[in-house]
Amino acid sequence: DKRGRRRKIKKAYDVLIDPKTRTIYDIYGVEGLESDWSVTLRSMNQNEVREAYDRIERQKREEEEERATNPVSATSIEVDASGLLHSDYEIQDFLNLPINSFTISQSVDAPLTDNT
């Protein structure tokens, strides 16, 4: 189909005419062009583009791993505020309330086997 060929040629031209997209294509191919990372405004050499791409991909993997483990944390503080109910108090009295307990808990989901 002629229209399909024209679209492909225009897309290839648009990639090759722009030095940034051409560098990305030269290093990573179509996959690099389809990724959602951005290129800085200054021109980058091939190694700098590779390092930026690898850094962004590593960050994505770390974020995916964190979401997969479903980290949960909670903090609980118990104070004795009964003295405030029986007297005139000032705002600074809130800062000196006795702490009865302080609890921090954290949990993650982790598979017990390699099969997920």
Side-chain angles (χ1 to χ4, degrees):
D1 164 82
K2 288 184 181 182
R3 273 190 234 161
R5 282 186 30 197
R6 268 190 245 141
R7 261 187 261 131
K8 286 181 182 179
I9 291 170
K10 175 158 178 22
K11 187 175 181 178
Y13 176 80
D14 290 343
V15 168
L16 297 175
I17 197 72
D18 180 12
K20 292 176 187 167
T21 56
R22 175 151 187 175
T23 301
I24 293 169
Y25 180 79
D26 287 346
I27 297 170
Y28 303 107
V30 175
E31 182 181 311
L33 295 172
E34 293 173 349
S35 67
D36 60 351
W37 60 284
S38 62
V39 177
T40 60
L41 294 177
R42 70 178 183 90
S43 62
M44 295 169 45
N45 66 36
Q46 196 170 12
N47 290 334
E48 290 172 324
V49 172
R50 167 61 96 186
E51 289 169 2
Y53 181 82
D54 290 343
R55 185 185 70 252
I56 291 168
E57 288 300 311
R58 187 173 50 252
Q59 287 172 340
K60 284 182 186 178
R61 280 192 307 274
E62 290 170 358
E63 290 170 1
E64 288 173 9
E65 289 172 0
E66 185 174 331
R67 279 192 300 274
T69 59
N70 192 25
V72 177
S73 61
T75 304
S76 173
I77 301 172
E78 182 182 321
V79 295
D80 181 3
S82 60
L84 298 177
L85 299 175
H86 303 296
S87 66
D88 292 333
Y89 59 89
E90 295 182 18
I91 197 73
Q92 66 194 39
D93 294 333
F94 282 104
L95 302 175
N96 298 318
L97 291 174
I99 296 175
N100 292 341
S101 68
F102 181 78
T103 307
I104 298 174
S105 64
Q106 292 182 313
S107 66
V108 294
D109 294 338
L112 296 175
T113 66
D114 289 339
N115 301 333
T116 54

